[in-house]
mmCIF file of all heavy atoms in Angstrom:
data_model
loop_
_atom_site.group_PDB
_atom_site.id
_atom_site.type_symbol
_atom_site.label_atom_id
_atom_site.label_comp_id
_atom_site.label_asym_id
_atom_site.label_seq_id
_atom_site.Cartn_x
_atom_site.Cartn_y
_atom_site.Cartn_z
ATOM 1 N N THR A 18 -1.914 -59.028 -64.831
ATOM 2 C CA THR A 18 -0.882 -57.995 -64.929
ATOM 3 C C THR A 18 -0.266 -57.710 -63.570
ATOM 4 O O THR A 18 0.949 -57.524 -63.445
ATOM 5 C CB THR A 18 -1.488 -56.709 -65.519
ATOM 6 O OG1 THR A 18 -2.101 -57.029 -66.766
ATOM 7 C CG2 THR A 18 -0.423 -55.671 -65.739
ATOM 8 N N PHE A 20 0.032 -59.779 -61.123
ATOM 9 C CA PHE A 20 0.902 -60.897 -60.770
ATOM 10 C C PHE A 20 2.242 -60.794 -61.499
ATOM 11 O O PHE A 20 3.301 -61.027 -60.930
ATOM 12 C CB PHE A 20 0.201 -62.205 -61.104
ATOM 13 C CG PHE A 20 0.979 -63.433 -60.718
ATOM 14 C CD1 PHE A 20 1.642 -63.500 -59.504
ATOM 15 C CD2 PHE A 20 1.033 -64.528 -61.553
ATOM 16 C CE1 PHE A 20 2.337 -64.632 -59.128
ATOM 17 C CE2 PHE A 20 1.724 -65.658 -61.196
ATOM 18 C CZ PHE A 20 2.378 -65.714 -59.978
ATOM 19 N N LEU A 27 9.781 -59.904 -57.498
ATOM 20 C CA LEU A 27 10.139 -61.091 -56.738
ATOM 21 C C LEU A 27 11.497 -61.657 -57.131
ATOM 22 O O LEU A 27 12.316 -62.000 -56.290
ATOM 23 C CB LEU A 27 9.056 -62.143 -56.959
ATOM 24 C CG LEU A 27 9.090 -63.409 -56.141
ATOM 25 C CD1 LEU A 27 8.674 -63.115 -54.718
ATOM 26 C CD2 LEU A 27 8.169 -64.444 -56.742
ATOM 27 N N ILE A 58 28.498 -75.426 -60.163
ATOM 28 C CA ILE A 58 28.127 -75.340 -58.748
ATOM 29 C C ILE A 58 29.318 -75.739 -57.886
ATOM 30 O O ILE A 58 30.265 -76.371 -58.349
ATOM 31 C CB ILE A 58 26.953 -76.288 -58.389
ATOM 32 C CG1 ILE A 58 27.330 -77.759 -58.641
ATOM 33 C CG2 ILE A 58 25.696 -75.896 -59.141
ATOM 34 C CD1 ILE A 58 26.288 -78.764 -58.160
ATOM 35 N N SER A 78 22.809 -66.888 -51.916
ATOM 36 C CA SER A 78 23.895 -67.754 -51.463
ATOM 37 C C SER A 78 23.353 -68.853 -50.556
ATOM 38 O O SER A 78 22.215 -68.775 -50.074
ATOM 39 C CB SER A 78 24.941 -66.936 -50.698
ATOM 40 O OG SER A 78 24.508 -66.716 -49.364
ATOM 41 N N TRP A 82 20.100 -70.367 -45.993
ATOM 42 C CA TRP A 82 19.648 -71.562 -45.286
ATOM 43 C C TRP A 82 20.324 -71.734 -43.937
ATOM 44 O O TRP A 82 20.129 -72.756 -43.276
ATOM 45 C CB TRP A 82 19.914 -72.803 -46.132
ATOM 46 C CG TRP A 82 19.249 -72.815 -47.466
ATOM 47 C CD1 TRP A 82 19.857 -72.741 -48.685
ATOM 48 C CD2 TRP A 82 17.835 -72.930 -47.723
ATOM 49 N NE1 TRP A 82 18.915 -72.792 -49.686
ATOM 50 C CE2 TRP A 82 17.671 -72.908 -49.123
ATOM 51 C CE3 TRP A 82 16.714 -73.040 -46.894
ATOM 52 C CZ2 TRP A 82 16.409 -73.002 -49.722
ATOM 53 C CZ3 TRP A 82 15.467 -73.126 -47.492
ATOM 54 C CH2 TRP A 82 15.327 -73.108 -48.893
ATOM 55 N N HIS A 88 18.827 -75.007 -37.182
ATOM 56 C CA HIS A 88 17.646 -75.656 -36.603
ATOM 57 C C HIS A 88 17.744 -77.180 -36.691
ATOM 58 O O HIS A 88 17.397 -77.892 -35.736
ATOM 59 C CB HIS A 88 16.379 -75.178 -37.312
ATOM 60 C CG HIS A 88 15.180 -76.016 -37.009
ATOM 61 N ND1 HIS A 88 14.488 -75.943 -35.829
ATOM 62 C CD2 HIS A 88 14.569 -76.990 -37.752
ATOM 63 C CE1 HIS A 88 13.492 -76.821 -35.834
ATOM 64 N NE2 HIS A 88 13.515 -77.458 -36.987
ATOM 65 N N ASN A 90 20.343 -78.909 -36.614
ATOM 66 C CA ASN A 90 21.261 -79.260 -35.525
ATOM 67 C C ASN A 90 22.014 -80.574 -35.753
ATOM 68 O O ASN A 90 22.167 -81.395 -34.837
ATOM 69 C CB ASN A 90 20.481 -79.322 -34.199
ATOM 70 C CG ASN A 90 21.382 -79.267 -32.978
ATOM 71 O OD1 ASN A 90 22.455 -78.662 -33.027
ATOM 72 N ND2 ASN A 90 20.954 -79.888 -31.894
ATOM 73 N N TYR A 93 20.782 -84.171 -39.869
ATOM 74 C CA TYR A 93 20.798 -84.562 -41.279
ATOM 75 C C TYR A 93 22.149 -84.201 -41.876
ATOM 76 O O TYR A 93 22.837 -83.314 -41.363
ATOM 77 C CB TYR A 93 19.696 -83.833 -42.060
ATOM 78 C CG TYR A 93 18.301 -84.221 -41.643
ATOM 79 C CD1 TYR A 93 17.672 -83.578 -40.573
ATOM 80 C CD2 TYR A 93 17.601 -85.224 -42.308
ATOM 81 C CE1 TYR A 93 16.389 -83.926 -40.175
ATOM 82 C CE2 TYR A 93 16.322 -85.585 -41.920
ATOM 83 C CZ TYR A 93 15.723 -84.936 -40.852
ATOM 84 O OH TYR A 93 14.454 -85.288 -40.461
ATOM 85 N N PHE A 103 26.552 -66.524 -58.661
ATOM 86 C CA PHE A 103 25.707 -65.908 -57.648
ATOM 87 C C PHE A 103 26.489 -65.688 -56.358
ATOM 88 O O PHE A 103 27.286 -66.527 -55.952
ATOM 89 C CB PHE A 103 24.496 -66.786 -57.330
ATOM 90 C CG PHE A 103 23.490 -66.928 -58.445
ATOM 91 C CD1 PHE A 103 22.509 -67.915 -58.389
ATOM 92 C CD2 PHE A 103 23.498 -66.082 -59.545
ATOM 93 C CE1 PHE A 103 21.571 -68.053 -59.400
ATOM 94 C CE2 PHE A 103 22.566 -66.209 -60.566
ATOM 95 C CZ PHE A 103 21.598 -67.208 -60.493
ATOM 96 N N GLY A 110 31.188 -71.718 -65.683
ATOM 97 C CA GLY A 110 30.357 -72.335 -66.715
ATOM 98 C C GLY A 110 29.002 -71.693 -66.900
ATOM 99 O O GLY A 110 28.323 -71.956 -67.898
ATOM 100 N N ALA A 118 18.631 -75.105 -65.912
ATOM 101 C CA ALA A 118 18.610 -76.461 -66.451
ATOM 102 C C ALA A 118 19.970 -77.152 -66.333
ATOM 103 O O ALA A 118 20.046 -78.290 -65.850
ATOM 104 C CB ALA A 118 18.131 -76.462 -67.898
ATOM 105 N N GLU A 123 23.737 -80.813 -63.116
ATOM 106 C CA GLU A 123 24.927 -80.984 -62.272
ATOM 107 C C GLU A 123 24.558 -81.504 -60.886
ATOM 108 O O GLU A 123 25.296 -82.300 -60.299
ATOM 109 C CB GLU A 123 25.676 -79.657 -62.140
ATOM 110 C CG GLU A 123 26.530 -79.304 -63.338
ATOM 111 C CD GLU A 123 27.688 -80.274 -63.527
ATOM 112 O OE1 GLU A 123 27.445 -81.347 -64.134
ATOM 113 O OE2 GLU A 123 28.815 -79.981 -63.076
ATOM 114 N N HIS A 141 14.352 -72.913 -52.962
ATOM 115 C CA HIS A 141 13.654 -71.634 -52.803
ATOM 116 C C HIS A 141 13.667 -70.865 -54.106
ATOM 117 O O HIS A 141 14.720 -70.716 -54.738
ATOM 118 C CB HIS A 141 14.341 -70.796 -51.713
ATOM 119 C CG HIS A 141 13.797 -69.401 -51.586
ATOM 120 N ND1 HIS A 141 14.567 -68.280 -51.832
ATOM 121 C CD2 HIS A 141 12.561 -68.953 -51.259
ATOM 122 C CE1 HIS A 141 13.829 -67.196 -51.635
ATOM 123 N NE2 HIS A 141 12.611 -67.573 -51.285
ATOM 124 N N MET A 163 10.571 -80.251 -51.701
ATOM 125 C CA MET A 163 9.854 -79.090 -51.174
ATOM 126 C C MET A 163 10.207 -77.882 -52.032
ATOM 127 O O MET A 163 11.385 -77.532 -52.186
ATOM 128 C CB MET A 163 10.209 -78.819 -49.719
ATOM 129 C CG MET A 163 9.567 -77.538 -49.166
ATOM 130 S SD MET A 163 9.922 -77.213 -47.409
ATOM 131 C CE MET A 163 8.670 -78.251 -46.645
ATOM 132 N N PRO A 169 5.596 -73.352 -61.610
ATOM 133 C CA PRO A 169 6.322 -74.056 -62.668
ATOM 134 C C PRO A 169 6.425 -73.317 -63.995
ATOM 135 O O PRO A 169 7.239 -73.705 -64.831
ATOM 136 C CB PRO A 169 5.535 -75.364 -62.832
ATOM 137 C CG PRO A 169 4.174 -75.056 -62.326
ATOM 138 C CD PRO A 169 4.341 -74.038 -61.236
ATOM 139 N N ALA A 173 3.781 -67.538 -67.931
ATOM 140 C CA ALA A 173 2.344 -67.412 -68.170
ATOM 141 C C ALA A 173 1.827 -66.051 -67.740
ATOM 142 O O ALA A 173 0.811 -65.575 -68.261
ATOM 143 C CB ALA A 173 1.599 -68.518 -67.424
ATOM 144 N N VAL A 188 9.253 -61.256 -75.125
ATOM 145 C CA VAL A 188 9.234 -60.524 -73.862
ATOM 146 C C VAL A 188 10.469 -60.863 -73.043
ATOM 147 O O VAL A 188 11.130 -59.975 -72.483
ATOM 148 C CB VAL A 188 7.958 -60.853 -73.063
ATOM 149 C CG1 VAL A 188 8.008 -60.201 -71.688
ATOM 150 C CG2 VAL A 188 6.730 -60.395 -73.830
ATOM 151 N N GLN A 207 17.899 -51.103 -57.703
ATOM 152 C CA GLN A 207 16.847 -52.110 -57.804
ATOM 153 C C GLN A 207 16.989 -53.155 -56.707
ATOM 154 O O GLN A 207 15.991 -53.611 -56.138
ATOM 155 C CB GLN A 207 16.899 -52.788 -59.170
ATOM 156 C CG GLN A 207 16.493 -51.881 -60.332
ATOM 157 C CD GLN A 207 16.672 -52.563 -61.672
ATOM 158 O OE1 GLN A 207 17.388 -53.564 -61.779
ATOM 159 N NE2 GLN A 207 16.024 -52.042 -62.695
ATOM 160 N N ALA A 221 16.806 -59.282 -41.288
ATOM 161 C CA ALA A 221 17.231 -60.389 -42.152
ATOM 162 C C ALA A 221 17.648 -59.935 -43.546
ATOM 163 O O ALA A 221 18.099 -60.741 -44.355
ATOM 164 C CB ALA A 221 16.094 -61.413 -42.266
ATOM 165 N N ALA A 227 23.528 -58.237 -49.737
ATOM 166 C CA ALA A 227 24.922 -58.425 -50.130
ATOM 167 C C ALA A 227 25.043 -59.488 -51.214
ATOM 168 O O ALA A 227 25.865 -59.368 -52.136
ATOM 169 C CB ALA A 227 25.758 -58.804 -48.912
ATOM 170 N N LEU A 249 7.442 -75.865 -66.905
ATOM 171 C CA LEU A 249 7.622 -77.220 -66.377
ATOM 172 C C LEU A 249 6.301 -77.955 -66.158
ATOM 173 O O LEU A 249 6.308 -79.122 -65.768
ATOM 174 C CB LEU A 249 8.392 -77.152 -65.048
ATOM 175 C CG LEU A 249 9.826 -76.640 -65.137
ATOM 176 C CD1 LEU A 249 10.456 -76.578 -63.751
ATOM 177 C CD2 LEU A 249 10.664 -77.526 -66.051
ATOM 178 N N GLU A 261 5.834 -81.006 -51.681
ATOM 179 C CA GLU A 261 5.132 -79.996 -50.904
ATOM 180 C C GLU A 261 5.557 -78.634 -51.411
ATOM 181 O O GLU A 261 6.747 -78.395 -51.648
ATOM 182 C CB GLU A 261 5.431 -80.117 -49.406
ATOM 183 C CG GLU A 261 4.702 -79.075 -48.569
ATOM 184 C CD GLU A 261 4.693 -79.386 -47.080
ATOM 185 O OE1 GLU A 261 5.105 -80.497 -46.704
ATOM 186 O OE2 GLU A 261 4.272 -78.506 -46.306
ATOM 187 N N ASP A 269 1.355 -57.623 -53.548
ATOM 188 C CA ASP A 269 0.604 -56.616 -54.279
ATOM 189 C C ASP A 269 -0.778 -56.568 -53.639
ATOM 190 O O ASP A 269 -1.419 -57.607 -53.469
ATOM 191 C CB ASP A 269 0.497 -56.994 -55.760
ATOM 192 C CG ASP A 269 -0.149 -55.909 -56.606
ATOM 193 O OD1 ASP A 269 -1.304 -55.523 -56.291
ATOM 194 O OD2 ASP A 269 0.466 -55.466 -57.583
ATOM 195 N N THR A 273 -5.177 -61.079 -53.666
ATOM 196 C CA THR A 273 -5.727 -61.588 -52.420
ATOM 197 C C THR A 273 -5.224 -63.003 -52.135
ATOM 198 O O THR A 273 -4.625 -63.647 -52.994
ATOM 199 C CB THR A 273 -7.254 -61.614 -52.485
ATOM 200 O OG1 THR A 273 -7.650 -62.560 -53.499
ATOM 201 C CG2 THR A 273 -7.818 -60.242 -52.823
ATOM 202 N N PRO A 289 -1.307 -83.512 -59.301
ATOM 203 C CA PRO A 289 -2.420 -83.475 -58.347
ATOM 204 C C PRO A 289 -2.063 -83.952 -56.944
ATOM 205 O O PRO A 289 -2.754 -83.615 -55.985
ATOM 206 C CB PRO A 289 -3.468 -84.391 -58.989
ATOM 207 C CG PRO A 289 -2.709 -85.253 -59.947
ATOM 208 C CD PRO A 289 -1.578 -84.409 -60.439
ATOM 209 N N ASP A 297 1.178 -67.457 -44.151
ATOM 210 C CA ASP A 297 0.735 -66.070 -44.006
ATOM 211 C C ASP A 297 1.773 -65.206 -43.292
ATOM 212 O O ASP A 297 2.689 -65.719 -42.651
ATOM 213 C CB ASP A 297 -0.588 -66.030 -43.239
ATOM 214 C CG ASP A 297 -1.724 -66.674 -44.028
ATOM 215 O OD1 ASP A 297 -1.708 -66.575 -45.278
ATOM 216 O OD2 ASP A 297 -2.623 -67.272 -43.406
#
Side-chain angles (χ1 to χ4, degrees):
T18 305
F20 183 42
L27 188 73
I58 61 173
S78 80
W82 301 112
H88 166 76
N90 197 30
Y93 294 86
F103 292 166
E123 281 294 83
H141 173 243
M163 175 178 277
V188 174
Q207 291 175 342
L249 295 178
E261 180 165 351
D269 186 303
T273 65
D297 294 327

